[in-house]
Amino acid sequence: MCRHQPPCPSPDGPDRDAARTVASHPEQGWSLLCNGVVLFEDTGELLPDGVVVAPHRPTDLRATAA
């Protein structure tokens, strides 16, 4: 899917959110990334294979690590 250099992170990698935005619809609250991931403004994600990733914020990680 990704044709630029360097290529975007894989949709199943931990850094998948770092892919380039190819379509943005802020009025609807979502963006399509170059790797096929749909990223929602609440940080939830829809992966190309249909897997749903629940919203995750950096503050959530600190709360569970303590």
Side-chain angles (χ1 to χ4, degrees):
M1 195 178 295
C2 184
R3 298 180 187 254
H4 50 265
Q5 292 297 324
C8 286
S10 165
D12 56 356
D15 56 347
R16 64 180 160 254
D17 297 351
R20 290 186 186 184
T21 301
V22 295
S24 180
H25 294 276
E27 72 283 358
Q28 296 177 354
W30 62 273
S31 297
L32 175 63
L33 304 182
C34 186
N35 57 7
V37 172
V38 177
L39 181 63
F40 296 96
E41 69 180 13
D42 69 353
T43 70
E45 301 171 10
L46 179 60
L47 304 184
D49 61 0
V51 172
V52 175
V53 178
H56 51 285
R57 301 189 188 278
T59 54
D60 295 342
L61 297 176
R62 274 187 252 134
T64 58

